[in-house]
Structures are given as C-alpha cells and as structure tokens.
Amino acid sequence: MRTYQCFWLLFWAGQLHQSFLTPLSKRTSGFPEKEKVLVLSGNSRRDLHRSKRSWMWNQFFLLEEYTGTDYQYVGKLHSDQDKGDGSLKYILSGDGAGDLFIINENTGDIQATKRLDREEKPVYILRAQAINRRTGRPVEPESEFIIKIHDINDNEPMFTKDVYNASIPEMSDVGTFVVQVTATDADDPTYGNSAKVVYSILQGQPYFSVESETGIIKTALLNMDRENREQYQVVIQAKDMGGQMGGLSGTTTVNITLTDVNDNPPRFPQSTYQFRAPESTPPDSPVGRIKANDADVDENAEIEYSITEGDGYDMFGITRDKDTQEGIITIKKALDFENKSLYILKVEATNTHVDPRFLYLGPFKDSATVRIQVEDVDEPPVFSRPAYIMEVKEDVPINSVIGTVTAQDPDAAKNPVKYSVDRHTDMDRVFNINSGNGSIFTSKPLDRETLLWHNITVIAAEINNPKQSSRVPVFIKVLDVNDNAPEFAMFYETFVCENAKAEQLIQTLSAVDKDDSYSGHQFSFSLAPEAASSSNFTLQDNRDNTAGIFTRKTRYNRHEMSTYFLPVVISDNDYPIQSSTETVTIRVCACDHRGKMLSCNAEALIHPTGLSTGALIAILLCIIILLVTVVLFAALRRQRKKEPLIISKEDIRDNIVSYNDEGGGEEDTQAFDIGTLRNPEAIDDNKLRRDIVPETLFMPRRTATARDNTDVRDFINQRLKENDTDPTAPPYDSLATYAYEGNGSVAESLSSLESVTTDGDQDYDYLSDWGPRFKKLADMYGTMDSDKDS
C-alpha cells in the first residue's frame, strides 16, 4: 500500500503552537490518499480558558459507495496538548457520530462504519474535543469540521415519465415539434460529467429525431399519412458522462399518434345505384341509402349529399344520416306508375369541412347515378276531384238527380267501379247514389229551413276487389224557394183605453219570413176581408215591413166588448206569393187621462201566466194545516200510554191473557219447526215484542247455540231464565213463546187456565219464587185462594 510524506504546517495565534501530521501506516481505501490530520490547539496554562485554535484544514473528503471489507478511514484528530502519555481522550459528536462515524479515543483516528451515499446526504457536520481522561475536563475548546462525500457515477439518468403520449397532425412538415422529454441524474453536477445527460433515439427512425441536449422530439419524415399508419412508438435514451463510454443510461417510451386532417375526398364505391319503390309509397318515405366512403374521421369525414341533375329532381330528395354518414333518398311527391315508371338521378357527395392546404389533391366531392324503378300496385279508384260541392232546390221532387261523382281505377287494368253512400254520414237516408254511374239523387223531401247543408261521403270501390276503395266528401247546399209565409215577429196582445180617441195608434206590427230573400224581404199588411168593413180598428201599412193599428171610433166600452180579435193578412213579394193570417188580441181597459192603463177585465193583462194571489194564499194555508195535523198526530202517538192487560183484579175474564193456541204437540210437524229451537240464530233477534211497545230499545243479546242433543225442556228453562233477566221485558205478566205446546209435549203445558179448570186446590205460592216478573200473577192467584178459603 502506497504512503505519502505529509508536511507539518504551523499556525500561530496568540502563542506559538506546533501542528504536525503523522504518517498513515495503514490504508483502508484503495485510492491513494494523503493522511488528513486535524490539529487542536489551546492554552496550556489553564484548561478552562478560551484559546484560539489552529487548523491544518477544517474538512475531510470521503468517496461514496465504499465497497471494502474494513472501515473506511476518514482522518485524524490531534491536540497540541497531547503528550502521547494517554492522558487525553478524544470524543466526537454531530451528524452520525458514534453510529456512522467512530473515533479512536486514544489516537483520534476517525473511520466510517457504513457505505455512504452522496445522493442521500452529501455533507456531515461533526464536532471534536480533547478532554483530560483523569478529570474529564476539556483541554481544548470544541472544534467543528465537515466531512464531504465525493460523488461517483452511481446513478443512471431517470425520465420524469415512464411513458410519454403525444400527437401531431398527419402530413406535417419535417422538423415539426412533437414533444420534449426530460431526464434527471441524481449525481453531483459540479463534479465531473456524472450528471451530464445526452439524449439519443433508439427506436422510431426514420420518422422522428431527438435533439441530444434538449430532448425535443421532431418529425424527420415528410407527409406521414394517418390512413397508412396512425400509431408510432419511439424509444429515447438518456446517457450520462456526456454520452461517453462507461456512462449510465435510462430509456423512456413515447407513443405518438397522428391526428386526422381532411386530406381525402369522398368516393362512391360504385358509379350506379338502383332502387325500387312501389307507387303506393307515401311521401317522405325512404327509398334507399347510398354512402360515399371517406378515409378521414370525425368532422373531416362529414359528407353532404345533394341531387344535382335528373328527371326526378322534384320527385325525390336526399338527406344525411349523421350517425352513419349515409345519404337517404326519400319521396317528395306521390309516385304514379302509369305516368312514369323510371327516374334517373345524379347524386353528389361533398365534404363539409375542406382544408385549403390540401386542395391540390383534387376536388373533395364525388358523384354517382341513381336509378329508381317505380313498381305497379293495385291502387284504389281515384275521384276526379278531391271534393264535390252541389246545389239543389228544396222543392225538388224525390228521386231528382242533383249531381254526379266520377272515379276511375288508375291501374292499367281499369277495373270497373261501383259507388255507394257512407250511411254514417247520411243517417236519415236523404240521398242515394247510382252504383253504376255515380249520380246522386234525393230519396226524401228537403227543407232549407231545417238543414241548409248536407255533408255526405261517397265511397268508390273496385268491383273485382272491394277492398280497394276510396272516399270523397260531397257538400250539398239546399237552395231556398218561397215556401214559407211571413208571420208575426212575436205574439201581439195589446189594449185600448175606453176613453181612446179616433185614429189613435195602439200597436205597431212587424213580420219575419223563414225563407231567404236575395233582394231583401218586403211584406204587405192588410185586414182580413171579413174584418175590413166591420172592424172597430183600422190597419195602416208603413211600407217598411211594419204596420200600425189605429182606433176607428172615439170611445170603447169594456162592459159591452172586453176583447177584440183583429185578423191581419201578411204577404211577401216573392214568387210564388205566400201569405198568412195572424190575429192581434186587443183588450179594452180603463185608463187615466194620460192613457195609462188602470184595470182590465182580463187578468191575463196583469198576470199573463200563473195563479192568482188568492189561489196561492189558499194553497199555502192548506199546506200549513196539513203539516200541523201531521205534527199533532205524531205527538199524540208518542204520548199515548200503554194500557195494562189486566184492569181489574175482580174480573176474571179480563185477567185472561192469550198465550197462543195449543196445537198437536211434538207429533204435529206442521205446526212448528223444531229446527228453530235447535238453531236460535235463525230467529230474528231484532224483532220486537208485539204485546207492548217497549219504552227503551236495547241491543239484542246473542244467546248460545243449542246443541243438537239439547232437550227441549232444558232449552225452555234456559229461555225462561234469560227472560227473567231481560231488561226489555215488561214489568207485568206476559207470555214469551218458547216452543209449540200440544198433546204429547215433553214440556207439557205452562198455561194456568188448564190448572184452574182441572185442579182447583192447586198451590200458586211457587209463583212468588219466579221473580219480580211474575209478581203480578202471584198476587192475583194468591188473592183468589184467600177468597176461596174464606
């Protein structure tokens, strides 16, 4: 191992101190290195006084990533107070002291115990001191020094991204910027070329290139076409040591995508297209689809279709399907095989977004020929008009023809057609039609005043195929004829005062006519011939469709004649002239001097309809009396007392209570139904007792159902017990029918009548044990026994 001669350097500060450098006898590094000695100086007279220090240097250097087996030697500390007798002790503190760095307390040698990495920590700051081993006091002030880690090229360049993604438009020029990649080296950039990175391309030539110093990737090939190749993968290498041999390197991948530009015009895959369309296809229906192919994508592939030429320019249209970029040919007007069976169109496809940079590649449009064959179908008959309007006078006789409709089969076969009227539009069957020639005629009289317009529907159907039919509306207007006589506009009923003067106007008349007059109505008024000479009134025609009634004499007497009926003849001026006789009712009334009516004989003048006041008052009184009677009757019914069955204890006949007839006993199957005894639910529980009117109604009590094997005697006893505790039972003796009793009855008879007639000395004291319900009966029979004994 090589050793080097070290020189002593002396520094003077206040006092002269010697610093010496001892040669290193053993090396722990494979690199030739000078021995490093840090000399500590201080005041030799008093240890605790501060003294100036003299340094040979204040920092050590150490290579990183040491791979030897021994500790790596760092340097040596030495104090000028050290006499070599072992009285001093060297101690170390600071970054990594005791763990990463250790010191020989006798000699001051510093060693590194672990491999160091400059990228983790490039500088360590430590403090050294020499103390008296015996007293433990420092003989020198604490000195600080630095250990710097020298860098070696142990880190390869690292890219900021593992994978880069970039895109450029296709057909870009050479040298177009694509993306910039960046790699960093963790080594020390100030020490050698360990951190100097150079870029190069490993994969992606000849399409792309990279600048060695900046990492900028550019295009290297002209006119790269996306339609030929869209994706490129480029591998870039970053190498340190300036790219020299022995340098470390790292790589990254750059995925480059060529974006689309509109550099391809649309092209039809074929020059001619053929389609078929039945002539019955309705307008706006599609006939077929055509598509021009465009190698571009997205908006660069959008195509507009148009019909530029052809004999079907006005019969067909074309639209674009935005999803599929297809051209949809549609029908604009109805087709007719008999008129034209073949249409030839020229369709053009054009790009909507054209890039001017690529116009040199040619026009961005294409055209194709479309042939559309119209197919014949069996069509329904076609009327000559979409609607018919006819007129007919209202006085035409029945079976008069008012018009004709015409329909033909448009097919080449020209099938015969039959006509009919849709009866849903002519429910009254006013019109009919000749099924052969389509002439419409009347089947009932018409009246314009009842219905002016008749709207019917005529059906035309092929005779050979009735399913092929069509309809047409027919509007029939009924024309007016003068068939209605004029009449009063209203019912006229007026009065004349008894003190009226002659030639006094008492009423103005007007008339109406249901008929229609084109030149306006003109009515004439006159008195009927029978009243013209003998009437007490005169009529004056005003020539304006009105007339006035005037008095002929001075006074009228209502006692002599209370009402006059004046017949008036009204005529029109149409042809034929129509006239009618209307009657005006004139009542004679008493009036004051101003002509105001006071009273008339006829109540109708005051009360033209309804009842008189007296009659109304009489009806109201009758209703009130009837209501009072009903209320009194109801009150009497509620206050009526219940009459006791037994009025006198002495009258035996009045004390007899009928308990019902006795029948033939259990053998009499026609008298009762034993099932009712077995199933009391069949009995109407809501039925009230008929011998009295209960004062208070209680809810009916549901009793237990008797078993099928229950004895009738037990059943009767059970019902007897229930009636004793029944709050609805009357407070005197009464009979509750429990079963039909007769000859052969197991329960025998409960009647006391038989006991009286058969057993005169019977004891009735047991009646007192039956409870309060039988108290009245016990008292009655107990009294009879006492009378008998006396």
Side-chain angles (χ1 to χ4, degrees), residues 266-368:
R267 291 289 181 263
F268 283 106
Q270 57 192 69
S271 60
T272 303
Y273 295 85
Q274 292 190 3
F275 300 103
R276 292 181 177 272
E279 62 177 337
S280 60
T281 305
D284 298 328
S285 299
V287 175
R289 291 173 175 252
I290 61 176
K291 183 178 182 181
N293 297 325
D294 194 327
D296 297 322
V297 294
D298 299 332
E299 67 174 13
N300 297 319
E302 291 183 1
I303 302 173
E304 285 291 341
Y305 298 90
S306 60
I307 299 175
T308 58
E309 298 178 8
D311 51 3
Y313 182 81
D314 58 342
M315 296 294 295
F316 299 91
I318 188 168
T319 58
R320 174 173 64 95
D321 189 334
K322 295 181 180 180
D323 297 330
T324 63
Q325 297 299 319
E326 292 177 316
I328 306 174
I329 301 175
T330 57
I331 299 175
K332 294 170 62 176
K333 297 181 180 180
L335 302 177
D336 190 356
F337 172 81
E338 288 71 26
N339 292 335
K340 191 173 182 62
S341 61
L342 178 64
Y343 294 90
I344 299 176
L345 310 174
K346 184 178 180 180
V347 178
E348 186 175 84
T350 307
N351 275 136
T352 57
H353 302 279
V354 178
D355 194 337
R357 296 177 299 171
F358 305 103
L359 290 177
Y360 68 91
L361 297 177
F364 283 78
K365 60 183 179 180
D366 194 15
S367 60

Side-chain angles (χ1 to χ4, degrees), residues 590-602:
C591 302
D592 57 12
H593 64 281
R594 292 177 296 182
K596 183 177 181 181
M597 181 181 62
L598 297 178
S599 64
C600 295
N601 290 337

Side-chain angles (χ1 to χ4, degrees), residues 237-540:
Q237 175 184 266
K239 190 174 184 181
D240 59 12
M241 299 299 292
Q244 298 176 4
M245 185 176 297
L248 302 178
S249 64
T251 60
T252 188
T253 302
V254 182
N255 295 322
I256 302 175
T257 304
L258 297 183
T259 58
D260 185 56
V261 297
N262 192 7
D263 59 339
N264 293 280
R267 291 289 181 263
F268 283 106
Q270 57 192 69
S271 60
T272 303
Y273 295 85
Q274 292 190 3
F275 300 103
R276 292 181 177 272
E279 62 177 337
S280 60
T281 305
D284 298 328
S285 299
V287 175
R289 291 173 175 252
I290 61 176
K291 183 178 182 181
N293 297 325
D294 194 327
D296 297 322
V297 294
D298 299 332
E299 67 174 13
N300 297 319
E302 291 183 1
I303 302 173
E304 285 291 341
Y305 298 90
S306 60
I307 299 175
T308 58
E309 298 178 8
D311 51 3
Y313 182 81
D314 58 342
M315 296 294 295
F316 299 91
I318 188 168
T319 58
R320 174 173 64 95
D321 189 334
K322 295 181 180 180
D323 297 330
T324 63
Q325 297 299 319
E326 292 177 316
I328 306 174
I329 301 175
T330 57
I331 299 175
K332 294 170 62 176
K333 297 181 180 180
L335 302 177
D336 190 356
F337 172 81
E338 288 71 26
N339 292 335
K340 191 173 182 62
S341 61
L342 178 64
Y343 294 90
I344 299 176
L345 310 174
K346 184 178 180 180
V347 178
E348 186 175 84
T350 307
N351 275 136
T352 57
H353 302 279
V354 178
D355 194 337
R357 296 177 299 171
F358 305 103
L359 290 177
Y360 68 91
L361 297 177
F364 283 78
K365 60 183 179 180
D366 194 15
S367 60
T369 302
V370 179
R371 299 169 61 90
I372 301 176
Q373 182 72 42
V374 181
E375 297 179 342
D376 187 25
V377 296
D378 189 6
E379 298 177 281
V382 178
F383 285 93
S384 59
R385 300 179 190 174
Y388 291 85
I389 299 177
M390 301 179 182
E391 294 181 346
V392 58
K393 291 186 177 182
E394 61 178 330
D395 62 344
V396 297
I398 298 176
N399 296 328
S400 298
V401 177
I402 60 176
T404 303
V405 297
T406 304
Q408 292 183 351
D409 183 11
D411 300 324
K414 301 296 181 182
N415 293 322
V417 177
K418 64 177 181 179
Y419 303 91
S420 62
V421 176
D422 186 356
R423 290 306 173 188
H424 293 90
T425 61
D426 186 23
M427 301 294 291
D428 297 332
R429 296 181 177 269
V430 180
F431 301 96
N432 211 334
I433 191 169
N434 189 310
S435 61
N437 57 20
S439 58
I440 300 175
F441 56 90
T442 60
S443 58
K444 287 184 179 181
L446 303 176
D447 187 7
R448 187 200 70 87
E449 289 72 32
T450 302
L451 186 60
L452 177 61
W453 285 93
H454 294 267
N455 302 328
I456 65 173
T457 300
V458 175
I459 303 173
E462 294 183 7
I463 296 178
N464 299 333
N465 186 10
K467 293 183 178 180
Q468 294 294 336
S469 63
S470 58
R471 297 167 174 262
V472 68
V474 179
F475 307 103
I476 302 173
K477 182 180 182 181
V478 181
L479 301 179
D480 183 48
V481 296
N482 192 25
D483 58 345
N484 290 278
E487 56 188 15
F488 280 149
M490 57 179 293
F491 175 73
Y492 289 103
E493 184 175 7
T494 185
F495 70 95
V496 62
C497 295
E498 288 182 309
N499 57 357
K501 297 179 180 180
E503 301 299 327
Q504 181 179 342
L505 177 65
I506 61 174
Q507 183 65 49
T508 300
L509 307 177
S510 63
V512 294
D513 194 337
K514 295 180 180 178
D515 294 326
D516 190 13
S517 177
Y518 298 101
S519 60
H521 290 293
Q522 185 175 353
F523 304 122
S524 60
F525 300 86
S526 62
L527 292 177
E530 64 272 13
S533 59
S534 60
S535 175
N536 292 311
F537 302 92
T538 59
L539 181 69
Q540 180 180 341

Side-chain angles (χ1 to χ4, degrees), residues 98-118:
D99 178 23
L100 187 59
F101 300 100
I102 60 175
I103 188 171
N104 189 320
E105 61 182 14
N106 296 319
T107 63
D109 292 329
I110 302 173
Q111 292 178 311
T113 62
K114 297 179 180 179
R115 187 170 63 176
L116 303 178
D117 189 355
R118 190 202 66 85

Side-chain angles (χ1 to χ4, degrees), residues 6 36 47 85 136 169 236 273 279 288 311 341 358 396 450 491 548-549 576 586 589 612 676 763 766 769 773 779:
C6 296
K36 294 163 283 189
D47 295 337
D85 56 0
I236 302 296
Y273 295 85
E279 62 177 337
D311 51 3
S341 61
F358 305 103
V396 297
T450 302
F491 175 73
I549 299 177
I586 304 174
C589 301
S612 63
T676 304
D763 185 8
Y766 64 90
D769 300 333
R773 310 298 184 189
D779 293 343

